[in-house]
Amino acid sequence: EVQLVESGGVVVQSGGSLRLSCAASGFTFDDYTMHWVRQAPGKGLEWVSLISWDGGRIDYADSVKGRFTISRDNSKNSLYLQMNSLRIEDTALYYCAKDSRMYSSSWYSFGYWGQGALVTVSS
Amino acid sequence: QSVLTQPPSVSAAPGQRVTISCSGSSSNIGNNYVSWYQQLPGTAPKLLIYDNNKRPSGSPDRFSGSKSGTSATLGITGLQTGDEADYYCGTWDTSLSVYVFGTGTKVTVL
């Protein structure tokens, strides 16, 4: 059974830093592109970032580019999101999501989602 | 601000059929596969449709997807109270190099 478990969500002050982790199990982690997707309270879904199965391709939403860094450790079946220079508008539930397709490089879809880690940025 | 536009809400009686539209452009829907996600209240989103019209295992055949040009549509037949949720379309935008979600549609069963 595929499981994605996020951790690291806390309350942090504006301008601060935080690292989210996602522990994956139930599938061959290094065969899949992984994503972070966030959802602000009462709002819709916003894609944040992706990292390919081997880390060779990384993309970011413009809203986080230059502030957030995605990474993965395939030996630990883990995905990470380093978040720096946090802003009030980064307050959201952050989901880790597994791509549906092995070795996907363009036609993405999110087949499995974690339950999310809540990040609250206060002033 | 999302580049994919969906109606804010749709509603119908149990057993009826509803459709949800998702309008984009040539840089996203026009040249990439569309997925649809269902988000029940208080839960994580779930994949309903991928590659425009394919259903993952476990996704009921009451849900269907289609695409024409720069628009996509999700259809739900035999509407059930358990279908009350928010629905999002999504696809890759080749020009922006980002994945884009639709604005979301709330389905209400009357």
Side-chain angles (χ1 to χ4, degrees):
Chain A
E1 178 195 2
V2 172
Q3 284 200 316
L4 299 169
V5 179
E6 301 92 340
S7 61
V10 293
V11 179
V12 61
Q13 281 203 319
S14 179
S17 298
L18 187 60
R19 187 174 91 151
L20 299 182
S21 300
C22 172
S25 60
F27 65 101
T28 304
F29 184 69
D30 53 11
D31 283 348
Y32 290 88
T33 293
M34 297 294 294
H35 303 259
W36 288 100
V37 177
R38 70 183 180 183
Q39 187 169 35
K43 302 296 184 183
L45 301 173
E46 180 187 15
W47 175 83
V48 173
S49 182
L50 72 83
I51 184 168
S52 62
W53 65 94
D54 61 353
R57 175 173 182 169
I58 289 175
D59 284 298
Y60 298 99
D62 284 348
S63 58
V64 307
K65 201 173 292 184
R67 301 187 299 122
F68 290 11
T69 302
I70 192 172
S71 62
R72 65 191 295 160
D73 185 336
N74 287 345
S75 69
K76 294 183 179 178
N77 289 350
S78 293
L79 175 71
Y80 306 101
L81 186 67
Q82 177 66 41
M83 309 162 68
N84 297 332
S85 303
L86 282 160
R87 304 168 179 167
I88 302 290
E89 55 265 34
D90 294 320
T91 294
L93 189 60
Y94 284 74
Y95 294 104
C96 161
K98 168 187 169 292
D99 207 278
S100 302
R101 213 188 308 264
M102 287 174 60
Y103 309 121
S104 60
S105 59
S106 57
W107 296 323
Y108 304 113
S109 64
F110 313 127
Y112 289 91
W113 300 64
Q115 287 308 299
L118 182 61
V119 173
T120 303
V121 183
S122 68
S123 56
Chain B
Q1 188 170 350
S2 177
V3 299
L4 302 182
T5 304
Q6 299 179 230
S9 63
V10 298
S11 60
Q16 297 296 301
R17 178 176 186 264
V18 296
T19 60
I20 300 171
S21 60
C22 175
S23 179
S25 69
S26 59
S27 65
N28 42 66
I29 292 178
N31 282 285
N32 289 290
Y33 285 128
V34 177
S35 298
W36 288 91
Y37 305 90
Q38 176 194 58
Q39 187 174 32
L40 297 168
T43 70
K46 171 188 165 185
L47 180 66
L48 273 182
I49 298 287
Y50 69 100
D51 290 1
N52 301 333
N53 55 19
K54 297 184 174 68
R55 281 180 292 104
S57 60
S59 182
D61 58 8
R62 300 186 297 105
F63 296 91
S64 63
S66 64
K67 188 183 98 167
S68 178
T70 59
S71 293
T73 302
L74 175 71
I76 311 174
T77 58
L79 201 61
Q80 301 175 0
T81 55
D83 296 333
E84 287 201 329
D86 293 320
Y87 293 81
Y88 297 90
C89 58
T91 187
W92 185 253
D93 190 297
T94 307
S95 296
L96 299 175
S97 288
V98 298
Y99 191 91
V100 290
F101 286 102
T103 47
T105 298
K106 183 175 183 62
V107 169
T108 301
V109 181
L110 300 172

